[in-house]
Amino acid sequence: MATPSNKLDIPLQRCPDLYIKVCTPKGRGVYATKTIPAKTVIDVCPVLVLGVEENKSHIEHTSLFHYTYNWPITDFDGNKQVAQAVILGLGSMFNHSTQDQNVVWERDPERLIITYRALRDIPVGEELCISYGSHLTFKDADAPVAPPPEEELEMFNQIQFD
Ligand SMILES: C[S@@+](CC[C@H](N)C(=O)[O-])C[C@H]1O[C@@H](n2cnc3c(N)ncnc32)[C@H](O)[C@@H]1O
């Protein structure tokens, strides 16, 4: 058996208890086939960092735009910039959840990978979701539904007089 010998080599790890469900309200998504314990490594994904110009001139005009992550880089003059990166492996399949994120991710800029881990126990059948932050480019299928105004007023009255 060969093991990685260089410290920059990347041992891969993917949780096997997953499947991609198609035709969900968010398109395709990653779901658990078994309960996944908190802190389990879900996937280690290599990334492809795009040049800032390449991204602006080309990628932003394609569907790939909806799959890229911000990626901090330092240019040749030592200036810090935010580039974009395409995440290979399962990373590009995780949908967003505002209220029920159950997967966290961590960049490794030196080795050009992202590691995804379970934030808590994920029960069988649940979708694995990350957070894309607060600037979404689509209508959030998980957004909390605001109560109709009369119901809101009733709730307010209850809080005041109960
Ligand atoms: C990185 S892709 C995720 C995989 C994608 N669902 C697919 O089928 O290829 C990001 C896209 O998924 C969809 N998506 C992710 N989270 C969503 C959410 N909370 N509500 C609605 N659509 C979502 C949006 O179309 C978004 O541009």
Side-chain angles (χ1 to χ4, degrees):
M1 192 175 76
T3 48
S5 51
N6 185 309
K7 78 174 174 65
L8 292 180
D9 287 343
I10 302 162
L12 296 175
Q13 234 177 308
R14 175 180 288 177
C15 170
D17 306 322
L18 304 168
Y19 73 106
I20 292 182
K21 187 168 180 164
V22 294
C23 300
T24 81
K26 304 175 186 175
R28 293 166 294 177
V30 183
Y31 283 71
T33 57
K34 286 187 188 163
T35 295
I36 301 173
K39 298 188 184 162
T40 301
V41 172
I42 304 296
D43 204 7
V44 176
C45 297
V47 310
L48 172 67
V49 181
L50 304 166
V52 174
E53 260 320 302
E54 175 188 27
N55 184 58
K56 210 180 291 170
S57 312
H58 302 289
I59 308 297
E60 277 187 9
H61 308 288
T62 70
S63 310
L64 205 47
F65 171 68
H66 301 288
Y67 289 78
T68 57
Y69 285 35
N70 288 346
W71 194 267
I73 57 165
T74 306
D75 67 17
F76 290 117
D77 302 321
N79 301 315
K80 294 197 184 312
Q81 290 198 43
V82 179
Q84 298 296 308
V86 177
I87 317 304
L88 306 172
L90 261 192
S92 284
M93 284 294 106
F94 294 116
N95 288 319
H96 163 85
S97 177
T98 307
Q99 304 197 92
D100 213 4
Q101 174 191 3
N102 52 16
V103 172
V104 282
W105 53 276
E106 187 182 13
R107 292 185 191 93
D108 179 341
E110 202 185 11
R111 296 197 296 171
L112 298 180
I113 55 173
I114 290 184
T115 301
Y116 295 85
R117 284 197 175 77
L119 181 59
R120 54 167 170 77
D121 290 351
I122 302 174
V124 56
E126 187 169 302
E127 182 177 10
L128 279 73
C129 287
I130 59 172
S131 170
Y132 294 5
S134 51
H135 301 292
L136 301 179
T137 54
F138 50 84
K139 189 173 180 308
D140 185 357
D142 274 354
V145 183
E150 313 86 66
E151 214 175 292
E152 221 171 329
L153 185 63
E154 205 171 295
M155 275 166 60
F156 177 75
N157 287 338
Q158 279 176 18
I159 291 164
Q160 295 299 303
F161 303 118
D162 273 359

